[in-house]
C-alpha cells in the first residue's frame, strides 16, 4: 500500500505523518505531535503500516478554559515546520525585527544566494545572516553550514547559533581539529562529518589545509568580517584566494558580512564584490546617474547596506536604538609626566637618527621608538613595562615582515589573529640590552614608576569622570590599549572609587569563558565599572550590562573606536542614551596628532552625514610622516604647522580623499538601503508568523502554568530554580532533567543557566509532554481536547475549534510538508453554523469562566456537537483549501525571484483537518 505525503499512518503502536522523502518501500515518518529528533524510517516489507484516522475528542475527558489555552500553546510551541513563507522561524529563539527580514527576502529571491550584508554596527548582522542560513537549511536548499570568521569571534558565533538558532556547531581551530578528526571515518573530512562548523579563516587559509576544506566545504557559507578577505596585503590576499575558489562553485550559497565593506581602497572593494558575481570586479567607481542604473540594479539584488536612520525611517515597528551622546574630556600632563615624555622624545630621536646597522635594524628602532611613545601616553604602568622590555619584533626575519607587523600593531590595523593580539604591550628598543641606551631606558622607567597615583592626571580625571557618571546611574566601560594600563587603572580606581562600586578588569590574558563570566558577574552590582583592553572591542556584546564607553587610550584607528562603541551602542540597549567620552591629554603631542588628524575628522563626518566612513588607506602613512616630523624636528617646530596644510601635504590630501569617500558612501547607502522592499509586506509576514507561533510572553505563561499544574516548582524570579521532582515521570523524561536546575526566560542566560526559549530542550519537552498527554487522553493530562465554559463573553452557544492542517508545498526545487494551526468558531450547532470572523474566535479562547456547569450538562453538550461533526467536514475542507491558496500566495510573494521566476508552484491540502480541540462557550448571567 502506498501512502501520500502528509497522510496519517499507524505503526509501532503510534500514529505518524508521512514525510516527502518517502518512497513505496521506505517511509520517512514523523510522530504525530512529535519532534524532528523522533523522525524514523520504516521498511514497509518488514514492518506493518496501516492508514490511521485522527480521533475526535472524548466528551468524558473534558477540561476547563485554562486547559484549552494550554493545548493551543503546546500546539504552537511544538510547530517546527510552519506553512508560512518563512519555514525556519518556528525553530529559532530570537524574534527578528521587520528590518532584519530584508536580507532574508533578498536571499529567497536568489538561486544561489550571494549576499553582502553591510549594515551599521549594532543593527544585527549576525542575526540577519544566520536567519538566511537557517531558512535555507530548513527548506532543504542547503544541507550543511560553515561559518568562516576571525578566530577571536568563533566562540561568539557558536553561542549565537546554539542559543538563538538551535544549531549545534563545532569549532574548527588549531586547538580542536585533532579531536574532531578523530571522530571522522577514513577519508572523511571534518566539514563532511559535522553539519555546522565554525572555522578560523586564518587557520584554514593555509595551503596545507585549504585543499581539504575546498573538497569538503558545504554549499552554504557565512563569511564574517568579510572586509579582511580582499586583495590587499599578504594575509588578506590568502583569504581572498580561498573565497575566490569557494565562490567559483556556481551552486554555492555565500553570505558576506561586514560593517565596513569599503576600506577606502576601490580595488579591495571591487574584489569583495566579485565574490558575489565575477563581473562586479569591473563596476565603475561612481554608481550614481542614469547611465549606471543597470549596474546599480544588479548590485542592489546582492548588496544591502543600511544605517540606523534607514531602519528607523522606513520600518513602522519601533526599533530600540539608543541616542549617542559624544563628549571630549581633556587633562593636562603633570610637569613630571611631561618631563618624562620630553626625555623619551629626545631618546627616540637619537634612536631613529642612528644610521648604524642594517635597514632592517633601523626600521625595528623606528617602530620600537613609536611604540615607546604610545605606551608612555597610555599610563605610567605601560610606560615602565615597555621601557624595561626588549622589542617584541626582534626575532622577525625580513624587512616586509617588520613593516607589516609594526604598522598594523601600532596603527591599530591588526586583524587580531588572536584575542591577545589586541592588547600585548610592545617592547622597547631591540638593542637596548647591549647598548648604553639600556641605562637611559631604565632611568626613564624609574621616572615612570614615580608617576603612579596623584601625579597621573589622566587617572585623576578618569576617577572624577567615573564618579559623575555613576552618580547619574550610568554603567561605564573604560577601554585601554595595553594590559598593563588596564590592570593599573583597575587597581588605582578601586582605591579611589570606594567599596560601593564594583570594578572588574578584563584583558586578553583571560580565557574567553572567564572574560564573559567576569562581565556577567558585574551585572549583579548596581554601581559597576569595567576596565578592559581591546580584547572586548569585538566578539562580545555588552549592551545588556553597560551604557557608557570611555576611551581612556586613543585608538590610532577610528574603526577601533567604532568597534568599542558598537559593543554598547547597539540594538536592544536598555538605556535610551549611550554616552561616549574621549579622554586625551591637551599638552600631549602624541594624543594631539591622533586626535586632530583622525578622530575629530571621523566624528565630524559621522555627525554631519549620520554614517561612518572608513579612513582612506594611506592614513597610517600620514601619521607616520607627522610622527617622524615630531621626532626629527621636535614638537616646537611641529605645532605651528601641524594643521596648516602647508607643510604637511599628506594630511591635506588625506582630508580631500576622505571627504570624497564620505560623499560616495552617502550616495551608495541611499542606493543600497533596500527601501524599495515594502515595509507593509515585511511587517505583515512577520505578524502572521508571530500569530502562528506565539509571543515570548505567551511562552513564559505556558511554561509556568504547565510546571505548576504538573506538580513541579518554579520560582517567580528572572533567574530561578526549576524543580520537577514531584512532576510525572513522563514529564521528567521528556525534558531529561533529574535534579533541580537554574533557568531563565531572558537572554543572555548566565553561564550554567538554562535559557527557556521556544527552541530549548526544556520547552520543547514540556510542550511535547502537554500535547502528547492530551492527545492520548491520559487522566493526568493538564491540557484537554474539549471542554465547556459558562461565560458572559457570549450571548448564545458558541463552539471553538483548534484545527491543524497539513500541506504539501511543491516548488521548482523540491517538496515540503508543512503544518498550520488555526482557531475558528461558530454559533449554534454544526448542522447550521453561523461562522465567526477569524479575528473574533481567538480572543474567545481566553474568555473567563463566570459560573459552573454540572458534569452531566458538560458531557451532554460535548457529545451533541462531536456526534454532529461530520456536518463540518465540507466547510472545514473548504477552509483548508482557502488556507492553501493563502499559503501559496504568501510563498509566491516572498519567493518571486528578481528575474520574475516563481519558485512556489502548488500547495496541496493533505488529508482532513485534525480537530485537536473543541470547546463550547455557554452564555451565563447576561449577554456579551
Amino acid at each position: 500500500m502506498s501512502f501520500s505525503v502528509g497522510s496519517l499512518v499507524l505503526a509501532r503502536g503510534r500514529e505518524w505523518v508521512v514525510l516527502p522523502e518517502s518512497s513505496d518501500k521506505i517511509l520517512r515518518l514523523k510522530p504525530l505531535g512529535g519532534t524532528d529528533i523522533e523522525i524514523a524510517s520504516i521498511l514497509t516489507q518488514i514492518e506493518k503500516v496501516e492508514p490511521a484516522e485522527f480521533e475526535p475528542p472524548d466528551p468524558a475527558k473534558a477540561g476547563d478554559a485554562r486547559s484549552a489555552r494550554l493545548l493551543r500553546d503546546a500546539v504552537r510551541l511544538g510547530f517546527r515546520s510552519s506553512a508560512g513563507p518563512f519555514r525556519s522561524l518556528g525553530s529559532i529563539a530570537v524574534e527578528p525585527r521587520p528590518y532584519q527580514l530584508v536580507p532574508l527576502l533578498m536571499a529567497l529571491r536568489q538561486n544561489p544566494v550571494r549576499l553582502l550584508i553591510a549594515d551599521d554596527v549594532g543593527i544585527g548582522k549576525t542575526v540577519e545572516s544566520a536567519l538566511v542560513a537557517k531558512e535555507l537549511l530548513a527548506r532543504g536548499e542547503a544541507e550543511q553550514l560553515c561559518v568562516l570568521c576571525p578566530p577571536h569571534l568563533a566562540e561568539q558565533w557558536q553561542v549565537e547559533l546554539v542559543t538563538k538558532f538551535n544549531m549545534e556547531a563545532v569549532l574548527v581551530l588549531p586547538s580542536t581539529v585533532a579531536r574532531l578528526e578523530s571522530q571522522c571515518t577514513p577519508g572523511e573530512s571534518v566539514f563532511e562529518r559535522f553539519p555546522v562548523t565554525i572555522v578560523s579563516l586564518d587557520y584554514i587559509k593555509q595551503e596545507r589545509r585549504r585543499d581539504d576544506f575546498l573538497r569538503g566545504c558545504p554549499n552554504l557559507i557565512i563569511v564574517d568580517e568579510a572586509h579582511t578577505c580582499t586583495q590587499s596585503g599578504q594575509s588578506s590576499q590568502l583569504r581572498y584566494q580561498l573565497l575566490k575558489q569557494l565562490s567559483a562553485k556556481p551552486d554555492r550559497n555565500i553570505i558576506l558580512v561586514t560593517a565596513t565593506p569599503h576600506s577606502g581602497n576601490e580595488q579591495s572593494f571591487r574584489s569583495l564584490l566579485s565574490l558575489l558575481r565575477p563581473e562586479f570586479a569591473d563596476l565603475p567607481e561612481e554608481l550614481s546617474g542614469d547611465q549606471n542604473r543597470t549596474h546599480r540594479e544588479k548590485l542592489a539584488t546582492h548588496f544591502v547596506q543600511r544605517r540606523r536612520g534607514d531602519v528607523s525611517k522606513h520600518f513602522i515597528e519601533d526599533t530600540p536604538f539608543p541616542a549617542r551622546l559624544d563628549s571630549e574630556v581633556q587633562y593636562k600632563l603633570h610637569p613630571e609626566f611631561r618631563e618624562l615624555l620630553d626625555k623619551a622624545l629626545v631618546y627616540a630621536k637619537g634612536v631613529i637618527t642612528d644610521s648604524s646597522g642594517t635597514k632592517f635594524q633601523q626600521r625595528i628602532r623606528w617602530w620600537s621608538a613609536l611604540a615607546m611613545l604610545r605606551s608612555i601616553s597610555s599610563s605610567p604602568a605601560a610606560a615602565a613595562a615597555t621601557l624595561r622590555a626588549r622589542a617584541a619584533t626582534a626575532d622577525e626575519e625580513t624587512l616586509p615582515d617588520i613593516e607589516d607587523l609594526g604598522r598594523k600593531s601600532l596603527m591599530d590595523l591588526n586583524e587580531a589573529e588572536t584575542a591577545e593580539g589586541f592588547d600585548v604591550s610592545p617592547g622597547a628598543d631591540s638593542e637596548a640590552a647591549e647598548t648604553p641606551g639600556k641605562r637611559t631606558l631604565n632611568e626613564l622607567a624609574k621616572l615612570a614608576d614615580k608617576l603612579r597615583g596623584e601625579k597621573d592626571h589622566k587617572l585623576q580625571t578618569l576617577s572624577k569622570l567615573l564618579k559623575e557618571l555613576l552618580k547619574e546611574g550610568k554603567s561605564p566601560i573604560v577601554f585601554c590599549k595595553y594590559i598593563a594600563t588596564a590592570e593599573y587603572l583597575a587597581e588605582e580606581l578601586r582605591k579611589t572609587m570606594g567599596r560601593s562600586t564594583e570594578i572588574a578588569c578584563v584583558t586578553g590574558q583571560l580565557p574567553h569563558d572567564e572574560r564573559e563570566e567576569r562581565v556577567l558577574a558585574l551585572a549583579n552590582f548596581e554601581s559597576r565599572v569595567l576596565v578592559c583592553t581591546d580584547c572586548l572591542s569585538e566578539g562580545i556584546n555588552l549592551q545588556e550590562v553597560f551604557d557608557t564607553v570611555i576611551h581612556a587610550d586613543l585608538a590610532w584607528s577610528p574603526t577601533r573606536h567604532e568597534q568599542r562603541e558598537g559593543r554598547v551602542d547597539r540594538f536592544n540597549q536598555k538605556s535610551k542614551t549611550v554616552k561616549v567620552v574621549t579622554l586625551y591629554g591637551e599638552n600631549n603631542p602624541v594624543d594631539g596628532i591622533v586626535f586632530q588628524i583622525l578622530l575629530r575628522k571621523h566624528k565630524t563626518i559621522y555627525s554631519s552625514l549620520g554614517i561612518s566612513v572608513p579612513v582612506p588607506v594611506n592614513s597610517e602613512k600620514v601619521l607616520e610622516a607627522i610622527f617622524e616630523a615630531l621626532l626629527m624636528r621636535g614638537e616646537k617646530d611641529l605645532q605651528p604647522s601641524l594643521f596648516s596644510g602647508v607643510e604637511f601635504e599628506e594630511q591635506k590630501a588625506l582630508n580631500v580623499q576622505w571627504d570624497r569617500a564620505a560623499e560616495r558612501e552617502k550616495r551608495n547607502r541611499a542606493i543600497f538601503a533596500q527601501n524599495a522592499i515594502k515595509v507593509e509586506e515585511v511587517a505583515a509576514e512577520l505578524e502572521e508568523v508571530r500569530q502562528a507561533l506565539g509571543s515570548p510572553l505567551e511562552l513564559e505563561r505556558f511554561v509556568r502554568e504547565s510546571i505548576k499544574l504538573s506538580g513541579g516548582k518554579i520560582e517567580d524570579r528572572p533567574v530561578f530554580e526549576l524543580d520537577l521532582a514531584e512532576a510525572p515521570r513522563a514529564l521528567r523524561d521528556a525534558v531529561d532533567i533529574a535534579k533541580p536546575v537554574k533557568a531563565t526566560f531572558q537572554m543572555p542566560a548566565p553561564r550554567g543557566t538554562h535559557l527557556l526559549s521556544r527552541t530549548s530542550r526544556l520547552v520543547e519537552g514540556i510542550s511535547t509532554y502537554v500535547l502528547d498527554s492530551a492527545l492520548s487522553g491520559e487522566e493526568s493530562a493538564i491540557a484537554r481536547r474539549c471542554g465547556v465554559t459558562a461565560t458572559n463573553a457570549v450571548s448564545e452557544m458558541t463552539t471553538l475549534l483548534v484545527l491543524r492542517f497539513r500541506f504539501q508545498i511543491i516548488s521548482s526545487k523540491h517538496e515540503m510538508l508543512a503544518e498550520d494551526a488555526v482557531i475558528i468558531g461558530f454559533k449554534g450547532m454544526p448542522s447550521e453554523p453561523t461562522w465567526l470572523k477569524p479575528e473574533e474566535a481567538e480572543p474567545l479562547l481566553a474568555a473567563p469562566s463566570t459560573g459552573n456547569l454540572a458534569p452531566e450538562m458538560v458531557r451532554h453538550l460535548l457529545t451533541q456537537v462531536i456526534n454532529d461533526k461530520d456536518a463540518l467536514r465540507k466547510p472545514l475542507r473548504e477552509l483548508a483549501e482557502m488556507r492553501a491558496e493563502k499559503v501559496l500566495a504568501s510563498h509566491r510573494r516572498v519567493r518571486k525571484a528578481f528575474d520574475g521566476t516563481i519558485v512556489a508552484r502548488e500547495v496541496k491540502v493533505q488529508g482532513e483537518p485534525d480537530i485537536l480541540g473543541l470547546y463550547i462557550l455557554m452564555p451565563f448571567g447576561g449577554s456579551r
Side-chain angles (χ1 to χ4, degrees):
M1 181 180 295
S2 60
F3 299 95
S4 62
V5 173
S7 60
L8 290 179
V9 296
L10 181 65
R12 298 179 181 176
R14 65 188 304 187
E15 293 174 329
W16 307 74
V17 179
V18 179
L19 299 180
E21 301 83 19
S22 300
S23 65
D24 289 342
K25 295 182 179 180
I26 300 178
L27 291 180
R28 287 281 288 171
L29 305 176
K30 179 180 177 180
L32 186 63
T35 64
D36 289 346
I37 299 176
E38 299 174 280
I39 291 175
S41 296
I42 291 182
L43 188 61
T44 56
Q45 293 176 324
I46 297 177
E47 295 191 65
K48 185 178 181 180
V49 181
E50 298 177 314
E53 183 176 344
F54 193 76
E55 294 295 327
D58 185 352
K61 297 176 180 178
D64 55 16
R66 183 166 57 180
S67 66
R69 288 199 308 272
L70 286 170
L71 180 79
R72 165 64 166 152
D73 290 340
V75 171
R76 291 201 292 191
L77 292 171
F79 270 5
R80 293 294 179 266
S81 301
S82 65
F86 304 123
R87 192 170 173 81
S88 64
L89 296 193
S91 56
I92 65 175
V94 65
E95 185 176 358
R97 313 294 288 187
Y99 73 85
Q100 292 176 322
L101 293 181
V102 170
L104 176 58
L105 288 171
M106 294 172 64
L108 293 178
R109 295 170 182 176
Q110 299 179 17
N111 184 27
V113 174
R114 295 289 172 98
L115 270 185
L116 173 54
I117 303 176
D119 289 342
D120 274 351
V121 172
I123 282 182
K125 293 181 295 298
T126 301
V127 169
E128 292 172 341
S129 58
L131 192 57
V132 173
K134 183 71 173 179
E135 184 69 20
L136 294 178
L137 291 167
R139 290 174 174 274
E141 295 174 23
E143 296 180 354
Q144 294 177 299
L145 166 66
C146 178
V147 177
L148 295 169
C149 65
H152 64 281
L153 297 180
E155 289 189 21
Q156 183 189 8
W157 267 101
Q158 186 182 42
V159 171
E160 290 281 300
L161 290 181
V162 70
T163 58
K164 295 181 179 177
F165 294 92
N166 198 29
M167 290 192 282
E168 295 283 350
V170 297
L171 301 180
V172 183
L173 304 171
S175 58
T176 65
V177 70
R179 174 177 54 81
L180 296 176
E181 287 176 340
S182 68
Q183 301 176 51
C184 299
T185 59
E188 184 181 38
S189 166
V190 166
F191 312 104
E192 296 168 322
R193 174 73 174 180
F194 299 98
V196 183
T197 52
I198 300 170
V199 184
S200 163
L201 261 168
D202 292 312
Y203 170 77
I204 211 65
K205 72 185 181 186
Q206 302 300 329
E207 186 175 355
R208 64 182 181 276
R209 306 182 187 100
R210 188 173 61 221
D211 291 343
D212 180 55
F213 179 61
L214 289 170
R215 178 178 63 83
C217 180
N219 71 335
L220 171 58
I221 62 172
I222 295 174
V223 184
D224 197 9
E225 302 295 327
H227 61 276
T228 66
C229 306
T230 60
Q231 288 181 301
S232 60
Q234 182 179 0
S235 182
S236 181
Q237 180 75 13
L238 289 174
R239 300 186 195 109
Y240 172 74
Q241 290 299 331
L242 172 64
L243 293 187
K244 194 69 175 174
Q245 289 178 276
L246 289 172
S247 66
K249 188 176 180 181
D251 64 343
R252 178 165 279 129
N253 303 284
I254 300 177
I255 306 165
L256 305 177
V257 181
T258 174
T260 54
H262 201 305
S263 64
N265 186 316
E266 286 295 335
Q267 182 183 358
S268 295
F269 182 52
R270 293 300 180 273
S271 66
L272 188 64
L273 294 180
S274 70
L275 299 174
L276 305 173
R277 292 174 67 162
E279 62 266 31
F280 286 167
D282 301 319
L283 285 173
E285 180 176 333
E286 179 55 65
L287 289 171
S288 59
D290 289 340
Q291 71 276 17
N292 290 312
R293 180 184 298 276
T294 302
H295 294 308
R296 290 199 304 271
E297 290 176 349
K298 284 185 179 179
L299 182 55
T301 63
H302 300 272
F303 184 25
V304 55
Q305 184 178 36
R306 299 167 294 179
R307 61 179 186 264
R308 293 183 183 185
D310 298 317
V311 170
S312 301
K313 179 179 178 182
H314 295 284
F315 286 87
I316 55 180
E317 183 171 321
D318 178 49
T319 302
F321 288 124
R324 184 187 297 188
L325 303 177
D326 285 295
S327 62
E328 301 165 5
V329 174
Q330 299 178 354
Y331 62 91
K332 202 164 187 175
L333 293 174
H334 187 279
E336 291 183 26
F337 209 124
R338 183 56 204 252
E339 180 186 356
L340 169 65
L341 188 57
D342 287 341
K343 289 182 177 181
L345 284 167
V346 171
Y347 173 80
K349 181 177 180 180
V351 167
I352 66 170
T353 55
D354 183 357
S355 59
S356 64
T358 64
K359 188 175 182 180
F360 168 68
Q361 291 171 323
Q362 292 171 15
R363 292 308 290 172
I364 287 181
R365 289 196 288 265
W366 157 253
W367 288 113
S368 295
L370 208 54
M372 177 187 68
L373 293 177
R374 186 170 186 187
S375 63
I376 290 175
S377 296
S378 176
S379 71
T386 302
L387 290 165
R388 291 190 173 103
R390 294 173 64 92
T393 55
D395 58 352
E396 294 296 324
E397 298 179 355
T398 67
L399 183 60
D401 284 340
I402 187 60
E403 291 290 348
D404 188 54
L405 179 64
R407 184 169 289 111
K408 285 183 175 181
S409 177
L410 265 296
M411 302 300 176
D412 287 328
L413 303 173
N414 56 318
E415 292 153 3
E417 297 199 359
T418 66
E420 290 75 10
F422 280 119
D423 54 16
V424 291
S425 296
D429 180 22
S430 60
E431 298 179 355
E434 291 82 24
T435 65
K438 178 179 179 181
R439 182 168 55 253
T440 302
L441 290 171
N442 282 329
E443 290 174 357
L444 293 176
K446 291 177 182 178
L447 284 176
D449 287 335
K450 297 177 181 179
L451 298 175
R452 291 171 174 256
E454 292 185 2
K455 295 180 181 180
D456 182 1
H457 286 181
K458 177 194 275 191
L459 168 66
Q460 301 306 319
T461 303
L462 176 62
S463 178
K464 181 181 178 182
L465 174 63
L466 287 172
K467 289 177 181 178
E468 293 173 355
L469 290 168
L470 292 171
K471 193 174 181 179
E472 296 174 15
K474 292 293 185 180
S475 298
I477 304 177
V478 180
F479 275 102
C480 310
K481 167 70 176 176
Y482 301 117
I483 293 173
T485 298
E487 294 176 340
Y488 158 74
L489 289 180
E491 179 184 352
E492 292 295 326
L493 288 172
R494 290 188 185 105
K495 299 175 185 176
T496 61
M497 301 297 291
R499 294 184 178 181
S500 61
T501 298
E502 182 70 13
I503 297 174
C505 180
V506 173
T507 71
Q509 290 183 328
L510 288 175
H512 190 276
D513 288 351
E514 287 188 34
R515 293 178 212 169
E516 282 197 65
E517 288 176 6
R518 194 167 290 189
V519 169
L520 291 175
L522 275 178
N524 298 319
F525 297 89
E526 186 174 347
S527 180
R528 54 182 177 262
V529 175
L530 173 63
V531 183
C532 65
T533 61
D534 284 314
C535 71
L536 290 188
S537 66
E538 294 184 35
I540 182 171
N541 297 332
L542 305 168
Q543 75 273 19
E544 297 283 342
V545 186
F546 300 97
D547 54 20
T548 301
V549 171
I550 300 175
H551 301 289
D553 284 343
L554 300 182
W556 287 12
S557 164
T559 300
R560 181 56 53 80
H561 269 227
E562 205 172 300
Q563 289 170 337
R564 292 172 175 178
E565 294 159 10
R567 299 306 95 207
V568 170
D569 185 9
R570 60 192 302 113
F571 176 70
N572 270 346
Q573 166 59 246
K574 293 181 178 180
S575 175
K576 292 183 179 180
T577 59
V578 164
K579 286 196 171 184
V580 175
V581 183
T582 303
L583 196 63
Y584 69 99
E586 62 175 297
N587 62 336
N588 183 337
V590 177
D591 277 3
I593 290 171
V594 175
F595 189 77
Q596 295 288 355
I597 293 177
L598 289 185
L599 301 181
R600 182 162 282 171
K601 175 72 175 181
H602 184 265
K603 290 289 184 185
T604 300
I605 292 177
Y606 186 89
S607 298
S608 62
L609 299 182
I611 58 176
S612 179
V613 180
V615 187
V617 289
N618 63 348
S619 62
E620 67 270 16
K621 295 181 180 178
V622 175
L623 280 185
E624 286 180 48
I626 297 175
F627 275 121
E628 191 164 6
L630 171 67
L631 293 173
M632 296 296 291
R633 288 179 288 173
E635 184 197 355
K636 291 181 180 179
D637 296 330
L638 177 70
Q639 290 288 22
S641 59
L642 182 57
F643 309 113
S644 65
V646 176
E647 292 195 8
F648 290 97
E649 291 299 325
E650 297 95 341
Q651 181 193 350
K652 185 177 180 181
L654 172 67
N655 286 335
V656 171
Q657 194 174 356
W658 207 346
D659 288 336
R660 287 176 181 170
E663 285 302 316
R664 182 195 59 240
E665 196 76 3
K666 182 180 179 181
R667 290 191 298 271
N668 284 351
R669 295 220 175 182
I671 294 170
F672 302 114
Q674 299 297 336
N675 295 331
I677 292 180
K678 296 290 186 289
V679 176
E680 294 79 8
E681 287 186 17
V682 175
E685 301 294 356
L686 187 57
E687 184 56 31
E688 188 173 327
V689 170
R690 287 172 176 167
Q691 289 295 327
L693 302 178
S695 70
L697 288 177
E698 290 171 321
L699 181 147
E700 181 172 351
R701 184 199 66 205
F702 167 77
V703 170
R704 289 189 179 278
E705 281 191 2
S706 299
I707 295 298
K708 290 176 181 177
L709 291 173
S710 299
K713 297 177 183 178
I714 183 170
E715 299 170 326
D716 190 19
R717 295 187 299 169
V719 177
F720 51 83
E721 185 174 80
L722 179 61
D723 186 354
L724 298 179
E726 303 299 322
R729 175 65 181 270
L731 176 57
R732 298 200 303 272
D733 290 344
V735 299
D736 194 22
I737 288 181
K739 57 184 180 180
V741 297
K742 291 291 184 183
T744 183
F745 292 100
Q746 300 177 358
M747 281 196 277
R751 186 168 298 278
T753 302
H754 292 267
L755 175 64
L756 299 182
S757 66
R758 65 174 292 112
T759 61
S760 71
R761 289 186 61 185
L762 266 167
V763 173
E764 188 176 77
I766 293 169
S767 60
T768 299
Y769 163 77
V770 171
L771 184 58
D772 282 353
S773 60
L775 294 179
S776 61
E778 294 178 11
E779 291 297 328
S780 61
I782 60 174
R784 297 300 175 106
R785 293 183 60 197
C786 60
V788 181
T789 301
T791 178
N792 59 13
V794 297
S795 57
E796 61 180 293
M797 176 177 168
T798 302
T799 301
L800 301 178
L801 301 177
V802 179
L803 301 177
R804 177 173 55 192
F805 303 106
R806 287 184 295 279
F807 301 110
Q808 184 181 10
I809 302 173
I810 303 171
S811 72
S812 57
K813 297 180 180 180
H814 54 271
E815 299 179 7
M816 298 183 293
L817 180 66
E819 293 180 318
D820 192 13
V822 298
I823 296 176
I824 64 170
F826 61 88
K827 297 176 183 178
M829 294 299 292
S831 55
E832 296 182 6
T834 300
W835 294 97
L836 301 178
K837 294 179 181 179
E839 64 271 17
E840 294 177 328
E842 179 92 26
L844 288 177
L845 196 63
S849 174
T850 54
N852 297 315
L853 295 172
E856 296 80 8
M857 174 67 74
V858 169
R859 192 176 301 111
H860 172 72
L861 290 170
L862 288 172
T863 302
Q864 267 193 312
V865 175
I866 291 172
N867 287 345
D868 202 15
K869 66 180 176 60
D870 286 344
L872 297 173
R873 187 181 297 271
K874 182 179 179 181
L876 292 187
R877 182 70 187 187
E878 291 174 350
L879 175 62
E881 295 293 347
M882 289 173 58
R883 296 287 297 182
E885 291 176 7
K886 186 177 180 181
V887 168
L888 179 60
S890 182
H891 276 263
R892 285 183 169 178
R893 184 171 59 250
V894 168
R895 302 281 339 242
K896 185 176 182 179
F898 286 110
D899 61 4
T901 304
I902 300 294
V903 176
R905 292 179 176 175
E906 188 178 6
V907 175
K908 295 182 178 179
V909 179
Q910 298 298 309
E912 297 294 325
D914 299 332
I915 300 178
L916 297 176
L918 186 151
Y919 306 97
I920 299 173
L921 305 180
M922 294 297 293
F924 185 90
S927 61
R928 254 184 178 177

